[in-house]
Amino acid sequence: MRVRNKIFGGLLAAALATALNVAGAGAGHAAQLRPASVTPVAAGAHTASVPTRTAVVAATPLVFDVNGTFTDGGSARPVVTDVNDILTVDMSSQHRPTASGVVINSDTILVTFPDDATYSAKLQAPNIIRWSNGSTWQKLNLARVPDVRDETQTAAKSILNSAGFAVGRVTSFVDFTCNHDRTVSDQTPGANTLAVPGSAVDLRIGLLPPRGQCR
């Protein structure tokens, strides 16, 4: 609780000049985070031993689940993680530092980007984050890339298409281990990784060497 209070307090203070319509919500939220008052106990008074418990903070129900990968319409693929109203935004797709923030209420969040500023944002269905600087993020519905290793190029194409993916660049190499005879040796993105439906999967096809050259 103290950690969440400290994070929220710092973010809210930094955002007072820039956040849109979050002061009231933030104040109310912050009030809920104040530690409860403690009644003084007189010296020498007998007190029962009570086991210490860690308070469990219930996460705020949001307009939509913000956990996942988003797009800004360009090449950025920020990844948002929400753990009990504490937000982390992985900006590594743009070689930017990780941002952090908090949930204000069911449709408002506050995030500080270390290399930029602190922004508030409104959550809107379906899966849209509208930032106070005018930018918009759309959550991506990712799918798992099927494993097409050891398949022929024709079979791999059929499997990928059925899963909603396309075949990208196809290259070949001589496989002196002789484990691949015109079959897929490697794929990118890798098998079972999450990717945007419709994206391309590159294939590397192994070919047998001349007879007697297997190692």
Side-chain angles (χ1 to χ4, degrees):
M1 180 69 77
R2 290 178 180 175
V3 173
R4 178 179 169 183
N5 227 354
K6 185 175 181 181
I7 294 174
F8 179 82
L11 287 169
L12 188 57
L16 285 177
T18 57
L20 299 181
N21 301 319
V22 297
H29 197 64
Q32 298 174 12
L33 299 177
R34 294 194 184 100
S37 59
V38 179
T39 303
V41 179
H46 176 73
T47 58
S49 177
V50 180
T52 301
R53 286 188 176 184
T54 302
V56 177
V57 180
T60 303
L62 300 179
V63 171
F64 67 88
D65 180 10
V66 296
N67 289 284
T69 303
F70 289 76
T71 176
D72 63 352
S75 61
R77 292 292 183 270
V79 180
V80 178
T81 303
D82 174 14
V83 179
N84 290 332
D85 292 351
I86 301 300
L87 303 174
T88 302
V89 185
D90 181 352
M91 300 291 293
S92 59
S93 68
Q94 298 304 100
H95 306 289
R96 295 177 57 188
T98 299
S100 59
V102 292
V103 172
I104 302 296
N105 55 41
S106 63
D107 70 350
T108 307
I109 61 176
L110 194 66
V111 177
T112 294
F113 297 86
D115 58 344
D116 188 1
T118 298
Y119 299 102
S120 64
K122 288 293 184 181
L123 308 180
Q124 296 181 355
N127 303 330
I128 295 175
I129 299 178
R130 295 192 183 279
W131 295 97
S132 56
N133 65 352
S135 62
T136 300
W137 289 2
Q138 172 75 53
K139 187 176 180 180
L140 295 173
N141 295 316
L142 303 181
R144 292 197 179 277
V145 177
D147 187 352
V148 295
R149 290 170 296 179
D150 298 323
E151 302 285 353
T152 64
Q153 183 176 336
T154 300
K157 181 178 185 297
S158 177
I159 294 170
L160 290 170
N161 290 166
S162 297
F165 294 94
V167 174
R169 184 184 179 198
V170 178
T171 57
S172 61
F173 72 104
V174 177
D175 179 13
F176 287 98
T177 67
C178 296
N179 290 324
H180 298 280
D181 180 10
R182 292 175 293 180
T183 57
V184 178
S185 171
D186 300 292
Q187 63 179 87
T188 305
N192 299 314
T193 58
L194 293 173
V196 180
S199 59
V201 178
D202 296 337
L203 304 177
R204 191 162 181 251
I205 308 294
L207 304 175
L208 290 177
R211 187 183 299 273
Q213 294 189 22
C214 289
R215 299 170 186 171

